[in-house]
Amino acid sequence: MSPLQLGQHTGARGMEKLFLALCFFVGLGAPIFHLLVNELPSLSRTATTVPSGPLNSATGSLFDNEKVQSFTGKRLVKNSNYLDHHPKIDLVTKHCERWGVVTTIFDPSDAIARFLGLPSWCLVIVPDLKTPDNYMSKLKALQEQEGEQYKAGLDKVFFFSVEKQREWQDKGGPFGSFVQSTPWHHFCRKNIGYLFAILHGANFIFDFDDDNLIKLGHDGLPVKILPEGRDVRSMKLSNVNVAMLGANVFNHHPFMGASINDSWARGFPLDSIQDKYTQGQVAFQADLPFASNTKEIGVIQYLADGDPDVDAIHRISKPLPMTFDSGETARSVLVPAHAYSPYNAQATIHTKKAFWGMLLPSTVPGRVSDIWRSYFAQCIFADAGLYLVFSPPKIVQERNEHNYLGDLNAEQDLYYKAGKLVEYLRKWDSESDNIPERMEDLWIDLYEHGYIEIEDVYKVQMWLRALSQVGYKYPPLKRRFRNVAVMGQFNYADKETTINDVIYWTQKTREYFQTVVAVGPFSNSQMQAFQNKSIIAKSNDYDHNAQKGYFSPLGNLRDMLLAFKNSTMIDGVLYAHDDAILNITELSQGQYPFPTNKIMHTLPTTRVRDGIVSEGRFAYRAFPDGHFESIDKNASFESLDIMFRDDITWYHAFKPYSTGGQILLAQDPSSLKYRESDGSILFPGKGQSDFMFVPKKYADQFAEAAELHLKHSIFIECAFPKVLDIICQKTSAETRDVKLCTSWTAKIRGSLEMVQSCINGNASFGVVHPFKISQGCKEFSHAYDQLQ
C-alpha cells in the first residue's frame, strides 16, 4: 500500500463510520401480499412534487424519487424521426467485427499492449486533450518490449486523434451533432469510440480501461475473452450458473467467490449490502448459447482480480488486494431477467443487439456514469430478451492512482440514489413499442426525476439517431406483460424443495410477466421465507381436510381478482397451476399489451344455451325438487347414476364434492338468480381446470359465483365450467377456447417427452400440462423455453 493510500485509509475512518451508519439499513416491510396493489407501477408523468425534507431532527433528508422538473423540449425520436435520411458517414479505417474501445489521458499502458495480443480483435483508442501527442510512438516502443507476438497488433490499432474527432464534428446530421456535444475532459469520450466501432462493422465491443490487464495463459499469450465461434449463433458459455433469487437487486460478488467477505461491486445499492437474500443461489448449471429463440446475451462483465471495481467505502473499509474464483472450477453466472446488478465500463463485452445501451451519460461524474448506464440499459434489456452475465476474472486491475476521498465524493449519487433508481426502473414503463422511442422516454423520465441533467436527454436523442445514421439496426422488443397478474397455484407445500420451487417458478414467470403471485397451503415459516426473499405469496386453507387443490384454485382466483379489481395497472388475472407450462406467444396471439377482452379457458365449450356442448361430459340440468334432465330436455332421470350409467369411468363421478355438491347448489335458494326459465340449474359438464384468464371487469360476477361453489365444496373441474357459464349468462362476456396439450399415457405423462410431443404436434397449444417444477429447475426452464 502506498503512503498516499495509507493516509487515505486512516484519515477516512470517521467518514466511513458515519457513512455506514447512515446507509446500512434494511427494511422488511409489511406482509408481502398486502403490498400487491401498492407494488404496481405508476405511469403518472404530470405531477410535480417537492423532494421530502428531513426525516427528523437527528438525520438528514433522503432522495425520494419524486418528480422534480419537467421536460419541455421536443421528442426527436418518437414518430420514427430517428429513421430520417441523413448524410452517409464514410469509414475511416478497415472493417472489423471485434473492437476494443478505450479512452485515456496517460501514456500507453501494459493493458493496451496486452490487448493487442488478442487475435481477430481491433482497437480504437480515443484520446482526450491531455493525452500525450506522441502516444502511438510510445505504444510502438512498448510493443517492442513485449515481444514479437505483439508487434502485429499495431496494424489493428486506430488512434482516433483529437484532430480526427474534430473532423467528425463537421459531419452532417445527428452524427456530427453528437460528436460535437460530447464534452472533453470526461470519461464519456468513450461514446465516440463506441460509435466508431459500430460504424466499422463491430459485432462485439470490448469496453475496457487502460489499467485492466487481460491475464496471460500458460502459453504466455493473453487468454481469449470470447469462446470459439464466429457469431452469437455459434458461441456458447459452458457450465454457467443460473442464479435464482426473488430480490430485485443481485449482489454477484459472493456468488463469484470474492476473497473478501461481505463484498459488493461499485454501484450496488448500499441499503441492500447486508441483505443476504440479494446474493441468490444456484438454480442449476447449463451451457448458455449466446443467442437462442428466447434469450440472447447482451453484456458479459469480466470480474477483475487485484484492485477490482468496488466503491470508495469498500476500499476504505476493507483490505486489498482481493480475488475471485478462477480456473476450471469457476463459473459464469446468468443474472435473472427481473434483477438489477451494476456492471462497469472497465472490462465488459457488449453484443451487437445491446449496442444501443452503451451510451455513457455525461452530466454525472465518471464514477457514476457507467453504473447509471448499466441500470438504464437493464431496464430495457428485460423487454428486449437480452441478458447480463458475470464471468470469472480474465482481468487483473492495476489501478491508476486514485484519491479515495475524491472517489467518495464523486460516487455520492451511487450511495444516495442507486437503491431508489432500481426501485424506479423496476416500476417504469412506456407505451412506446420500439427500443429507440422507449430509450428516449426513459431518459426523459430519469431527467424529470433528478438522475441526469437535460444535456443527457439531448445526448440520447442524438445518439439514437446517429446510430440509425451509421446503419445500426435496433433489435425488436420481446416485452414483458405489465397489464395482467399471474397467479401460480401450488397444491402442495410439504416438500423440502417447496421454497426453491416457488422462487424459481416465480423467477421464470417474471421473464414474461411483471406481476406474479404464488398461492398455496404455505406454512408460516414458508411465508416468512418468501417475504425475506421478496417473493409475493399468499397462503390459503380453502381445501381444509380435502385433497389439496380440489377447491383452493377457485377461492384463490376469486381473491386475486378482488385484490386487483381497483388497480390502475392490472386488467385481469391469469391463473395457472405450477405444473402448467404456458405458451405465451399463443396466449397473447403476438399482441402487446396482453389481450384482456375475453375470458380464456381450456374447458369444454359452454355455449349450452345455443345447443353446443362439445365434450361436455356430465352435462345436465338439476332441479330443486331433486330430479334431473338432459341438456336438450329430451329425457328425465331420478338420479345421476342412472343418467350417466354408461359414463362412469371418471374417478370423481358421483362424489360428494362433485355432482353431490352440484345437487346441493341447485337446491340452495341463493342459486335462484342463476336458474333457467324452467327452474333448473344447468351444469355444462366437467373439464380440466388448470388454467383460466379472467378480465378484472368480471371480478364481482366471478366472486359471487365462486362463493356459491365454495359454499358447497364443489370440485374445481365441476366448478370452473359452471362459474364461467354463470358469467356468460349474466354478462356479455366473450370467451376464447385455449387448446390444452396433455397425455394420460403413464409412460410419458409429465415428462419432457410429453412436452416435446406437444411442440411437434400440428395444433397450437396455449397450455401444456402437467410438467412439475419439482422435476428440476433446469428441466422446467428448458420445457418452458422450448414451448415459446
Side-chain angles (χ1 to χ4, degrees), residues 186-316:
H186 195 287
F187 177 62
C188 74
R189 291 304 293 181
K190 262 191 174 184
N191 288 331
I192 299 175
Y194 307 147
L195 203 55
F196 183 100
I198 294 168
L199 175 63
H200 290 85
N203 287 325
F204 300 94
I205 294 177
F206 182 53
D207 188 8
F208 74 107
D209 277 356
D210 61 352
D211 55 0
N212 281 253
L213 287 80
I214 299 173
K215 290 183 177 181
L216 298 177
H218 297 301
D219 56 3
L221 296 175
V223 298
K224 294 180 179 180
I225 57 174
L226 277 178
E228 296 295 333
R230 181 174 175 80
D231 55 33
V232 291
R233 287 288 173 182
S234 58
M235 292 179 179
K236 68 177 181 180
L237 296 176
S238 300
N239 297 320
V240 173
N241 283 331
V242 176
M244 176 173 68
L245 72 157
N248 294 304
V249 289
F250 175 49
N251 182 358
H252 60 276
H253 271 206
F255 213 100
M256 302 296 288
S259 62
I260 302 298
N261 291 333
D262 302 319
S263 178
W264 66 92
R266 175 170 60 96
F268 186 79
L270 286 185
D271 51 0
S272 296
I273 61 177
Q274 288 188 325
D275 183 357
K276 302 297 184 184
Y277 300 110
T278 65
Q279 298 175 11
Q281 62 194 93
V282 178
F284 57 90
Q285 289 183 353
D287 290 346
L288 180 64
F290 268 57
S292 67
N293 292 333
T294 57
K295 61 173 66 76
E296 185 163 330
I297 295 174
V299 169
I300 301 174
Q301 164 79 70
Y302 285 110
L303 276 68
D305 283 338
D307 195 351
D309 188 26
V310 294
D311 60 34
I313 292 178
H314 194 296
R315 294 183 193 281
I316 290 170

Side-chain angles (χ1 to χ4, degrees), residues 501-519:
D501 289 347
V502 171
I503 294 173
Y504 192 75
W505 177 89
T506 300
Q507 175 172 306
K508 191 65 184 178
T509 308
R510 288 175 75 177
E511 292 181 13
Y512 301 94
F513 299 89
Q514 179 155 297
T515 303
V516 179
V517 186
V519 296

Side-chain angles (χ1 to χ4, degrees), residues 80-120:
S80 300
N81 288 333
Y82 65 94
L83 295 177
D84 288 350
H85 175 73
H86 294 291
K88 181 182 178 183
I89 307 300
D90 295 324
L91 300 180
V92 214
T93 186
K94 65 180 180 180
H95 183 279
C96 190
E97 293 185 351
R98 302 180 181 188
W99 281 93
V101 175
V102 67
T103 186
T104 183
I105 59 173
F106 301 110
D107 284 336
S109 66
D110 291 337
I112 302 292
R114 190 169 292 180
F115 178 84
L116 299 183
L118 290 175
S120 305

Side-chain angles (χ1 to χ4, degrees), residues 104 106-110 112 132 134-140 142:
T104 183
F106 301 110
D107 284 336
S109 66
D110 291 337
I112 302 292
N134 58 347
Y135 186 94
M136 286 303 292
S137 61
K138 290 183 176 182
L139 179 58
K140 182 177 180 180
L142 182 61

